[in-house]
């Protein structure tokens, strides 16, 4: 009889309107006694937040959508032949994300996971211990902090998307563990560090192809004494300069010469690899600065690919990007406060004997921030110029309009 009575109560609760589930009566009578006295619910910068009064548990839930129009096509040209293909104007939901995070048991034991709804991909899942500023620990699957451009969320960038050098140089998401922290001294003696060990086989891969792991390190000097987070645009309008200089390094041996959200893959000119075929060593130097509405970031990349199964054949790649933005209302009263103008120049030099193509991108964007990065509209125009071996040029213009909103 008692089981039947409980089942009737459960069915009664499920049949109630959703709004009724948050009334004291329903919580108190059917779910958890005196829950209304123990849990607070509010909407914040990371969505809906459910927090216990003792702050031992926090649950944050947020959804994000990115709507994009692009013409004559959306994707960056990768090879010379891409300029000769059909143009395909697109209008699409480029990203649809569900984000869940918070802390459990202690405010410094944090968790986070992110799911891409449109492609059914689990992007991030992490558990972090952040009790001390100087020593923190993280385990799971996440973006490696190797590149500022890639580490910045796609929803917090200045431009519609990342530059042409992201594809050949990013190490993207990996599964593994890292330690990190901030060593804050007096004045300019202010540093952050990250060190990690990963499977080195990309998102969604739970094991290595052999016994060679990916090793990563990042040393960041906060030369103005201010920490600068991984985000684009000086929305805070920093009254004091916040600048960083970072050196990053990665070494890995795997079947892959590149990584993306889809996992491991191959750069143009490389065959699908066998276990342990490619030893990849890469490094970059990075700077960033924000001050009174002005933002700057740049990276210079170097990458060495060694084919261990074909007489240690080695190829070296180089690339760079420079990006800057400014809220001109800081200088002119007539300029709208929510409007930012940003520009980027990038170049990629594969340096392969069979493909000496030089690839360049120049982009200009305007951002209108309705509510910071949580609700913004971006209009961007880009010019691509690829010079193929023999001096055969190819070029293309592109326009994109994007609305990014988090709920």
């Amino acid at each position: 009889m008692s089981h039947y009575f409980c089942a009737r109560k459960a069915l009664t609760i499920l049949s109630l309107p959703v709004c009724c589930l948050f009334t004291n009566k329903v919580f108190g009578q059917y779910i958890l006694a005196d829950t209304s006295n123990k849990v607070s619910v509010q909407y914040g910068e990371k969505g809906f937040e459910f927090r216990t009064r003792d702050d031992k548990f926090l649950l944050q839930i947020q959804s994000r959508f990115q709507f994009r129009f692009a013409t004559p096509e959306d994707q960056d040209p990768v090879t010379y032949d891409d300029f000769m293909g059909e143009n395909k104007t697109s209008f699409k939901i480029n990203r649809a994300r569900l984000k869940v995070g918070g802390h459990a048991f202690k405010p410094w034991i944090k968790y986070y996971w992110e799911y891409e709804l449109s492609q059914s991909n689990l992007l991030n899942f992490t558990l972090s211990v952040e009790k001390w500023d100087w020593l923190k620990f993280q385990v799971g699957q996440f973006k490696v902090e190797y590149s500022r451009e890639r580490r910045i969320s796609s929803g917090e960038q200045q431009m519609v998307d990342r530059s042409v050098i992201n594809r050949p140089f990013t190490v993207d998401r990996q599964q593994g563990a890292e330690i990190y922290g901030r060593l804050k001294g007096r004045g300019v003696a202010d540093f952050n560090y990250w060190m990690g060990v990963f499977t080195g086989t990309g998102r969604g891969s739970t094991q290595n192809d052999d016994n060679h792991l990916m090793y990563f390190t990042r040393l960041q000097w906060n030369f103005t004494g201010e920490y600068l987070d991984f985000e684009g645009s000086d929305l805070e309008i920093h009254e004091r300069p916040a600048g960083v200089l970072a050196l990053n390094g990665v070494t890995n041996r795997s079947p892959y010469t590149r990584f993306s959200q889809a996992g491991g893959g191959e750069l143009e000119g490389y065959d699908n690899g066998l276990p342990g075929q490619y030893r990849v060593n890469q490094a970059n130097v990075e700077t960033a600065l924000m001050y009174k509405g002005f933002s700057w970031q740049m990276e210079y990349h170097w990458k060495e690919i060694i084919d261990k199964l074909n007489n240690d054949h080695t190829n070296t790649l180089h690339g760079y990007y420079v990006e800057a933005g400014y809220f001109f209302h800081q200088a002119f009263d007539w300029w709208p406060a929510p409007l930012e103008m940003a520009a980027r120049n990038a170049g990629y030099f594969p340096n392969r004997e069979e493909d000496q193509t030089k690839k360049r991108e120049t982009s200009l964007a305007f951002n209108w921030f309705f509510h910071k990065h949580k609700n913004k509209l971006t209009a961007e125009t880009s010019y691509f110029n690829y010079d193929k071996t023999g001096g055969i040029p190819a070029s293309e213009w592109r326009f994109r309009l994007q609305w990014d909103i988090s709920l």
Side-chain angles (χ1 to χ4, degrees), residues 280-317:
V280 177
N281 303 311
Q282 57 188 108
N284 78 64
V285 58
E286 165 196 309
T287 65
L289 176 71
M290 291 189 184
Y291 181 53
K292 291 188 175 181
F294 173 77
S295 57
W296 157 279
Q297 61 186 61
M298 66 80 63
E299 297 173 18
Y300 183 84
H301 288 258
W302 168 87
K303 184 173 181 176
E304 178 185 63
I305 302 174
I306 306 172
D307 189 340
K308 306 298 289 186
L309 300 186
N310 289 291
N311 300 318
D312 284 348
H313 177 72
T314 302
N315 185 45
T316 304
L317 298 74

Side-chain angles (χ1 to χ4, degrees), residues 17-213:
V18 173
C19 60
C20 293
L21 293 178
F22 293 92
T23 64
N24 294 344
K25 180 179 179 181
V26 174
F27 273 118
Q29 183 177 355
Y30 297 115
I31 302 178
L32 291 173
D34 299 324
T35 300
S36 60
N37 295 326
K38 296 182 180 180
V39 177
S40 63
V41 181
Q42 65 179 17
Y43 186 84
E45 285 297 312
K46 295 186 178 181
F48 287 96
E49 299 181 353
F50 302 82
R51 186 189 303 268
T52 58
R53 298 300 174 117
D54 58 10
D55 200 29
K56 289 185 177 180
F57 295 89
L58 170 66
L59 173 65
Q60 298 166 317
I61 302 176
Q62 185 175 70
S63 57
R64 174 177 157 240
F65 301 95
Q66 193 178 82
F67 303 92
R68 180 182 295 179
F69 169 80
T71 186
E73 57 187 345
D74 184 32
Q75 300 301 315
D76 295 345
V78 175
T79 67
Y80 183 82
D81 293 338
D82 289 341
F83 288 93
M84 309 302 154
E86 285 187 39
N87 294 329
K88 298 180 180 179
T89 298
S90 65
F91 180 78
K92 61 182 179 179
I93 299 179
N94 193 58
R95 292 177 174 93
R97 303 279 173 87
L98 178 63
K99 302 179 180 182
V100 178
H103 62 250
F105 305 108
K106 299 288 185 180
W108 42 268
I109 302 178
K110 301 179 181 180
Y111 63 91
Y112 178 77
W113 61 267
E114 184 174 344
Y115 193 83
E116 174 56 59
L117 300 171
S118 63
Q119 300 179 18
S120 298
N121 288 336
L122 181 58
L123 301 179
N124 293 59
F125 54 89
T126 59
L127 182 65
S128 308
V129 178
E130 299 187 339
K131 187 174 182 179
W132 306 284
D133 287 341
W134 62 275
L135 180 61
K136 302 177 182 180
F137 173 79
Q138 180 172 240
V139 63
Q141 176 175 280
F142 50 92
K143 289 181 188 176
V144 180
E145 293 85 354
Y146 173 72
S147 163
R148 170 169 291 270
E149 182 182 41
R150 186 66 183 99
R151 179 60 178 79
I152 293 176
S153 168
S154 58
E156 296 184 343
Q157 298 177 125
Q158 285 182 309
M159 315 301 286
V160 167
D161 222 327
R162 301 174 178 94
S163 71
V164 294
I165 72 164
N166 179 69
R167 184 179 187 273
F169 293 107
T170 181
V171 296
D172 215 85
R173 292 177 171 88
Q174 302 286 340
Q175 291 194 30
E178 70 175 13
I179 59 172
Y180 55 104
R182 183 179 182 183
L183 307 175
K184 183 171 176 54
R186 294 183 179 180
V188 298
D190 192 338
F191 296 88
N192 281 81
Y193 71 92
W194 290 259
M195 292 184 289
V197 180
F198 307 94
T199 59
T201 47
R203 186 203 64 80
S205 180
T206 59
Q207 61 184 10
N208 205 326
D209 57 302
D210 52 22
N211 291 323
H212 298 95
L213 298 174

Side-chain angles (χ1 to χ4, degrees), residues 194 218-221 244-248 284-288:
W194 290 259
R218 173 187 177 93
L219 179 62
Q220 176 176 300
W221 177 29
V244 302
L245 171 64
L247 298 175
N248 307 277
N284 78 64
V285 58
E286 165 196 309
T287 65

Side-chain angles (χ1 to χ4, degrees), residues 169-384:
F169 293 107
T170 181
V171 296
D172 215 85
R173 292 177 171 88
Q174 302 286 340
Q175 291 194 30
E178 70 175 13
I179 59 172
Y180 55 104
R182 183 179 182 183
L183 307 175
K184 183 171 176 54
R186 294 183 179 180
V188 298
D190 192 338
F191 296 88
N192 281 81
Y193 71 92
W194 290 259
M195 292 184 289
V197 180
F198 307 94
T199 59
T201 47
R203 186 203 64 80
S205 180
T206 59
Q207 61 184 10
N208 205 326
D209 57 302
D210 52 22
N211 291 323
H212 298 95
L213 298 174
M214 172 185 284
Y215 298 95
F216 152 74
T217 184
R218 173 187 177 93
L219 179 62
Q220 176 176 300
W221 177 29
N222 308 310
F223 58 84
T224 63
E226 299 285 334
Y227 176 75
L228 187 59
D229 205 354
F230 290 96
E231 62 181 4
S233 307
D234 186 17
L235 290 169
E236 298 179 22
I237 313 297
H238 286 75
E239 291 301 322
R240 296 179 56 186
V244 302
L245 171 64
L247 298 175
N248 307 277
V250 168
T251 183
N252 186 39
R253 185 169 175 179
S254 75
Y256 309 117
T257 56
R258 63 175 291 262
F259 293 99
S260 69
Q261 180 179 308
E266 306 299 342
L267 289 169
E268 55 273 17
Y270 289 91
D271 297 327
N272 292 332
L274 298 173
Q277 180 170 352
Y278 299 113
R279 164 62 69 181
V280 177
N281 303 311
Q282 57 188 108
N284 78 64
V285 58
E286 165 196 309
T287 65
L289 176 71
M290 291 189 184
Y291 181 53
K292 291 188 175 181
F294 173 77
S295 57
W296 157 279
Q297 61 186 61
M298 66 80 63
E299 297 173 18
Y300 183 84
H301 288 258
W302 168 87
K303 184 173 181 176
E304 178 185 63
I305 302 174
I306 306 172
D307 189 340
K308 306 298 289 186
L309 300 186
N310 289 291
N311 300 318
D312 284 348
H313 177 72
T314 302
N315 185 45
T316 304
L317 298 74
H318 299 270
Y320 76 92
Y321 82 88
V322 178
E323 183 175 315
Y326 188 54
F327 287 93
F328 278 92
H329 76 276
Q330 292 291 302
F332 307 106
D333 293 337
W334 52 266
W335 186 275
L339 181 62
E340 178 196 34
M341 184 173 74
R344 179 174 67 205
N345 180 262
Y348 171 50
F349 312 100
N351 195 30
R352 291 185 57 84
E353 293 179 3
E354 60 270 30
D355 184 6
Q356 293 286 341
T357 305
K358 300 177 181 179
K359 310 180 182 183
R360 298 184 186 273
E361 170 212 343
T362 303
S363 297
L364 178 69
F366 290 88
N367 295 303
W368 188 281
F369 295 91
F370 299 101
H371 181 65
K372 300 182 180 180
H373 285 296
K374 301 301 181 184
N375 188 358
K376 69 177 179 182
L377 186 67
T378 303
E380 176 196 83
T381 183
S382 299
Y383 177 72
F384 299 94

Side-chain angles (χ1 to χ4, degrees), residues 383-399:
Y383 177 72
F384 299 94
N385 180 266
Y386 287 13
D387 292 326
K388 193 174 176 63
T389 302
I392 306 174
S395 61
E396 177 181 277
W397 285 91
R398 181 184 65 195
F399 174 77

